Amino acid sequence: MSRRLGGLDDVDPAAVPLPPGTEVTTGVDRVAGDRVITRGAVGRVVAVADGWIDVELVGAGRLRYRRDELTPRKQGLIRYARRRADAWTRLAGGVVIDAIVGSRLWGLDGPGSDEDRRGVFVLPFPWTTGLVEPPGDLASADGGRAYWELGKTIRQALRADPNTLEMLFAAGDQADAVRDPIGAELVAARDAFVSVEIYGAFGRYALSQLDRLEHDARLADHRGRVLGWLRAEPTLSLDQVAARLVEAARIVAPTAADAQLRARDYVKQLYRSMYDRGQLPAREWRALVAFAAREAGHFEPPREQRPKNAYNLIRLLDLAIRWLESDAAAPPLRVPDALRPTLWAIKRGEVPMAEVVAMARALTPRLEQARATTRLPRVADVARAEAVLRAGRAEAARRHLAGEPGAARPRRRGAAGRPVRAPRRRPRRRPRRRPPRRRPRRRRPGPLPRTRHVPMIETLTDAPTAAVIRAHLAREAARRHHLVVYLSGAHAYGFPSPDSDYDLKCVHVAPTAALVGLVPHEGGAEHIEVVDGVELDYGSNEVGAVLRGVLRGNGNFLERLLGALVIDEDAPRMASLRPLVRGAVSRLVFRHYAGFAHSQIRAAEASQPPPAKKVLYALRTALTGAHLLRTGVLITDLGRLCEPYGFGGAQELIAAKRAGERVPLAAEVWERWRGELGRAVATLAEADRASPLPATPPDEASRAIEAWLVAVRRERFEP
């Protein structure tokens, strides 16, 4: 399936951005002191500046390379980097909030501190209504700027995410942080996200992370001991190091052998984790010994174990207490003067981790007291947050429909916050022979056309039953707009019996406004009921989910859109959609039909003796899939398929099924058909191997379907 950010077949590993943290492989030799680090060395990007990339290399320290001298170490990194770069290129113009955060916001910055920015971006209308889930994050190549999508921002803020709340309140105090009225509306509503949830999201989270840091600090001490021993005595074996570690770390276990085993496991985890971080060239003991001989003296701890994280967690605890104690919407985000020297000392690594943890535990009683006495609301104002999200997406949609470029085009606002028109510029004079042309006034899109009754059901059943079905569909159509109503089940498969139910499987189009809130409401339904003696099995899925299923090879959804027994449909829309769906059929359907056929065979084997219905369902599934794979044509009527594929004996089963839903098969008949079902599944597998269909939907077909969907969303948009 095509992705909106472009395919990956043409990804150039030498061209995608390499943000800090990316594992890379070098493509040239480099001199490091008196050594030559040959090409193929593995390392991790630590800095990007002025066209150069600093890489921490295994066994060589930090060296500098040009971009074209490095490639990502793993294919997944290439894909991620490409998608991130494409998202930034296409969506950075939609940033509506851009605030300074981090140490500069907290008053803890120094001469070498970076300027970190966080904010919010708004997706263009087609990105929120298409088939592919759009990016929820944007990040610059150097990692210094990161932005969350409007909906994601609001969801994070509702659960009192610290980074999100700090960004919103910082933006309100920074003159140039708000770039667009959509961002202004969000910042104006930031008080709606403040609640007692701050206790858990800030305070308890910080305490739990400090406990983890304390644990990691003990492991780091063990790591330092192991590396020190190996550096002093490179000939030590794994068992010898484990024995020393048992004594040094005072490992407690039921027996001495158990303690030795725990120590061995820790050492193994050490070199495996170092390999995963790109610090060792191999995941083995010898690589750890070689590393200790070269690097043990200046080993850089993992990011989560650095003092910077510890000081930030203490800061979060303090902010949580002050926020819970405050009567105002938010206390100052700047660290109090009395606490700042302590945090500086922690950041510089001058305070042992045990003292940091003790400091945090000393703050716990005050945190609990602040929660008990706080005046903050228990929960955030979800209704207000929902209104902000809907207003922001409605404005983005309005700009798209009006042809205004970008989702973040600013509009001037008056003192009361209402939009005001920019002063009209004096029009340029034109020659009389070229009078100005008036742009035609854009009409507001109207509702989708009513569905058209197809006189199919009247030919399949008696008039009273058809009237019951029509009345039921009319009630459901009042709740949702049916794109198509398809009669599935035994009627579509060619073997209905007098007691068969009526499977009414539908596809509907939800109002666009219902899909852009915090919780999208697709309006689906599924129920079984008996009306005047007629059993109705009704189900409806929203067209977006259906089309995503079509592109993944979902046969149920394909049959709804391409099947023959159509009762109602939105004729103009279906006439334009069906050719697109046919063009998107691929060999992915094999998995659906094979899986369903196998499940039907298992159900038949579980029934002794099985009814003819179960055998027919398995056979119908296999042959429908086989025919679709061979020809690209969807036929669900088993009566049309069994003869061409060599299963003419199924006519006998069809006749038995038409006599009743639960007519059992004789034991000898079932034994014969058990082998025939195996042959049917083999026919399906052979059709897959010989299929002329593409392996996946062509990109142009996926894009055409998405364009169709966006057009329908646009028509269903009500500003």
Side-chain angles (χ1 to χ4, degrees), residues 163-487:
N163 293 327
T164 308
L165 286 186
E166 287 187 2
M167 178 272 297
L168 290 176
F169 280 90
D173 298 332
Q174 296 173 13
D176 59 346
V178 178
R179 294 184 175 184
D180 185 90
I182 297 177
E185 295 290 344
L186 178 58
V187 171
R190 63 190 185 277
D191 296 348
F193 304 109
V194 177
S195 70
V196 182
E197 295 290 336
I198 287 174
Y199 164 80
F202 283 60
R204 298 308 306 181
Y205 166 78
L207 288 172
S208 67
Q209 291 300 303
L210 281 166
D211 289 340
R212 181 178 175 181
L213 281 175
E214 185 179 31
H215 172 74
D216 290 344
R218 288 196 298 270
L219 294 181
D221 177 68
H222 301 343
R223 181 191 60 233
R225 291 175 183 269
V226 169
L227 294 176
W229 293 332
L230 290 177
R231 190 176 191 184
E233 301 178 60
T235 58
L236 288 174
S237 67
L238 175 59
D239 287 332
Q240 290 172 328
V241 169
R244 290 190 182 187
L245 187 60
V246 169
E247 297 295 329
R250 299 178 182 178
I251 296 177
V252 178
T255 66
D258 291 330
Q260 176 82 1
L261 182 62
R262 286 186 57 187
R264 279 178 57 92
D265 287 341
Y266 167 75
V267 177
K268 290 180 179 179
Q269 292 173 11
L270 172 61
Y271 62 69
R272 288 168 183 166
S273 66
M274 292 176 66
Y275 170 79
D276 291 339
R277 293 195 298 268
Q279 294 167 333
L280 295 181
R283 190 181 298 177
E284 59 186 17
W285 170 252
R286 288 178 299 178
L288 181 65
V289 174
F291 176 87
R294 297 190 307 266
E295 303 292 328
H298 48 86
F299 178 77
E300 185 175 4
R303 183 181 183 91
E304 63 273 10
Q305 296 178 16
R306 297 172 188 171
K308 180 178 180 180
N309 281 4
Y311 99 88
N312 188 40
L313 294 174
I314 295 292
R315 184 196 66 81
L316 276 179
L317 269 174
D318 170 74
L319 181 58
I321 293 170
R322 291 189 289 118
W323 211 324
L324 291 167
E325 292 177 344
S326 175
D327 292 333
L333 299 178
R334 186 178 176 85
V335 172
D337 293 340
L339 181 61
R340 193 174 296 117
T342 301
L343 295 187
W344 267 113
I346 296 173
K347 186 176 181 180
R348 291 192 296 264
E350 298 171 357
V351 181
M353 186 58 63
E355 292 185 21
V356 176
V357 174
M359 186 185 310
R361 302 214 183 283
L363 291 172
T364 302
R366 186 179 168 192
L367 175 68
E368 298 294 339
Q369 178 64 23
R371 182 185 65 159
T373 60
T374 186
R375 298 182 182 179
L376 298 182
R378 293 183 60 83
V379 295
D381 190 341
V382 178
R384 190 177 175 193
E386 174 88 10
V388 171
L389 176 59
R390 289 186 175 277
R393 288 187 170 161
E395 173 62 10
R398 184 201 66 77
R399 297 178 189 183
H400 170 75
L401 296 175
E404 299 180 8
R409 182 172 178 173
R411 293 185 299 166
R412 295 178 57 196
R413 290 188 170 251
R418 299 186 180 91
V420 298
R421 296 183 182 273
R424 296 185 61 184
R425 296 181 180 179
R426 184 176 180 181
R428 293 181 297 176
R429 293 183 178 180
R430 302 190 182 192
R432 292 183 180 179
R433 56 187 176 87
R434 295 182 59 192
R437 293 177 298 175
R438 293 186 178 182
R439 175 181 293 180
R441 185 176 180 180
R442 180 183 174 276
R443 295 182 180 180
R444 178 177 176 177
L448 289 174
R450 294 175 60 86
T451 56
R452 174 175 66 90
H453 290 338
V454 181
M456 178 67 73
I457 192 65
E458 287 76 7
T459 65
L460 297 175
T461 187
D462 56 80
T465 300
V468 169
I469 294 174
R470 290 292 183 195
H472 184 81
L473 290 176
R475 289 193 297 272
E476 295 299 332
R479 300 184 178 98
R480 61 192 63 85
H481 178 87
H482 289 142
L483 188 66
V484 65
V485 179
Y486 171 67
L487 181 60

Side-chain angles (χ1 to χ4, degrees), residues 53 89 97 224 297 360 392 436 500 593:
I53 298 177
T89 300
I97 297 177
S500 292
Y593 284 103

Side-chain angles (χ1 to χ4, degrees), residues 22 83 115 157 209 257 389 644 685:
T22 305
R83 288 172 180 158
E115 181 178 278
Q209 291 300 303
L389 176 59

Side-chain angles (χ1 to χ4, degrees), residues 83-119:
R83 288 172 180 158
R84 187 165 99 159
D86 282 351
W88 178 267
T89 300
R90 301 192 183 194
L91 298 174
V95 171
V96 297
I97 297 177
D98 186 13
I100 296 175
V101 297
S103 59
R104 294 184 184 275
L105 173 66
W106 308 328
L108 296 171
D109 55 305
S113 296
D114 298 327
E115 181 178 278
D116 295 322
R117 287 184 171 269
R118 299 292 181 270

Side-chain angles (χ1 to χ4, degrees), residues 47-108:
V48 180
D50 301 327
W52 292 95
I53 298 177
D54 291 342
V55 180
E56 190 74 27
L57 290 173
V58 176
R62 181 174 297 193
L63 295 176
R64 178 163 289 189
Y65 292 85
R66 295 197 311 269
R67 173 61 191 86
D68 58 357
E69 296 172 342
L70 300 171
T71 57
R73 184 182 176 199
K74 300 177 182 178
Q75 185 69 18
L77 296 173
I78 300 175
R79 292 190 175 96
Y80 171 74
R82 168 65 181 270
R83 288 172 180 158
R84 187 165 99 159
D86 282 351
W88 178 267
T89 300
R90 301 192 183 194
L91 298 174
V95 171
V96 297
I97 297 177
D98 186 13
I100 296 175
V101 297
S103 59
R104 294 184 184 275
L105 173 66
W106 308 328
L108 296 171

